[in-house]
Amino acid sequence: ERSGAVNRIEISGYTVVRKIGEGGMSSVYLARRTGDELQLVLKIVDAELSKNDEFLRRFIRECGIISKIDSPYVARIFDQGFSQEHAYLAMEYFVGGDLKARIDKGITGPEALRVVRQLAVGLEAVHASGVVHRDLKPQNILFRADDTLGIVDFGIAKHVEDTAQLTVHGQVFGTPYYMSPEQGLGKVLDARSDLY
């Protein structure tokens, strides 16, 4: 940000405010939508990966998957597109942080039950849509100002009927500490893997 990188991100209809996160494949920015000034998140694909057809297919699929899931406990997607330099996804901004931070601080029994209930309802909608998230972990459970949660990061999610192979033999996607044994072994997955 000190180098002015934020100021160089130009996506029509959005003003980038600041960087709020970074992963191996994309960076996440707090932004405002032009017109109504809605605060939202822009997930912007790494410039090198923007040139990778497989990754772009995966990125485009992410928006398609999320937009078909009807649940208040799944992140809302507002837009997906391509600027001259960036592939991006615009989604709701969660001001309440993630579940990992709450666990680290310590949560009460009633609070844990409330979170599990909301998460179960959200996963029910995800699985009813025929989707397996494949990377469910505390960092991918975020909270709104009203303290309801939203499941995010469907980057490696897969529709159970989708026979397209976007991974190569020997590649494993996901977070090792949260992977079901079946996922770690590269087996066919269903909703039970997310519950693990």
Side-chain angles (χ1 to χ4, degrees):
E1 289 180 290
R2 283 188 285 263
S3 68
V6 168
N7 296 330
R8 288 196 303 268
I9 296 173
E10 291 185 22
I11 297 176
S12 180
Y14 302 99
T15 302
V16 174
V17 177
R18 64 183 166 87
K19 190 174 192 174
I20 56 176
E22 188 169 2
M25 300 181 269
S26 60
S27 295
V28 181
Y29 296 87
L30 178 62
R32 284 190 311 275
R33 188 166 58 187
T34 308
D36 63 4
E37 295 297 309
L38 176 70
Q39 277 197 323
L40 48 74
V41 167
L42 286 177
K43 182 176 180 180
I44 299 177
V45 175
D46 176 84
E48 285 304 307
L49 287 172
S50 290
K51 300 170 188 169
N52 180 311
D53 289 342
E54 178 186 330
F55 181 80
L56 282 179
R57 279 194 301 273
R58 199 181 282 284
F59 190 72
I60 291 166
R61 281 177 65 250
E62 179 178 2
C63 184
I65 285 171
I66 301 172
S67 63
K68 292 177 184 165
I69 301 169
D70 182 23
S71 172
Y73 303 117
V74 173
R76 293 180 202 100
I77 300 297
F78 300 117
D79 186 21
Q80 180 185 35
F82 300 89
S83 68
Q84 286 185 330
E85 298 178 19
H86 306 285
Y88 68 89
L89 181 71
M91 62 178 274
E92 73 177 297
Y93 175 51
F94 292 86
V95 298
D98 66 30
L99 181 56
K100 182 182 185 317
R102 290 188 180 203
I103 291 170
D104 290 347
K105 286 182 184 175
I107 59 177
T108 65
E111 184 181 3
L113 288 173
R114 183 185 58 77
V115 167
V116 169
R117 184 194 152 286
Q118 289 181 18
L119 184 53
V121 172
L123 279 177
E124 180 179 34
V126 170
H127 297 152
S129 299
V131 172
V132 181
H133 187 283
R134 300 199 306 173
D135 198 21
L136 199 63
K137 58 186 177 184
Q139 295 92 325
N140 288 338
I141 311 299
L142 302 179
F143 293 91
R144 299 178 180 97
D146 68 0
D147 220 29
T148 59
L149 64 78
I151 302 169
V152 301
D153 198 354
F154 285 75
I156 64 169
K158 186 169 181 173
H159 198 282
V160 292
E161 294 175 2
D162 187 359
T163 57
Q165 290 288 41
L166 291 179
T167 54
V168 233
H169 182 68
Q171 275 187 328
V172 178
F173 285 96
T175 306
Y177 288 123
Y178 298 97
M179 255 184 221
S180 67
E182 295 79 12
Q183 186 171 354
L185 294 170
K187 295 184 178 180
V188 176
L189 303 179
D190 59 30
R192 294 173 292 181
S193 187
D194 285 344
L195 298 178
Y196 176 85

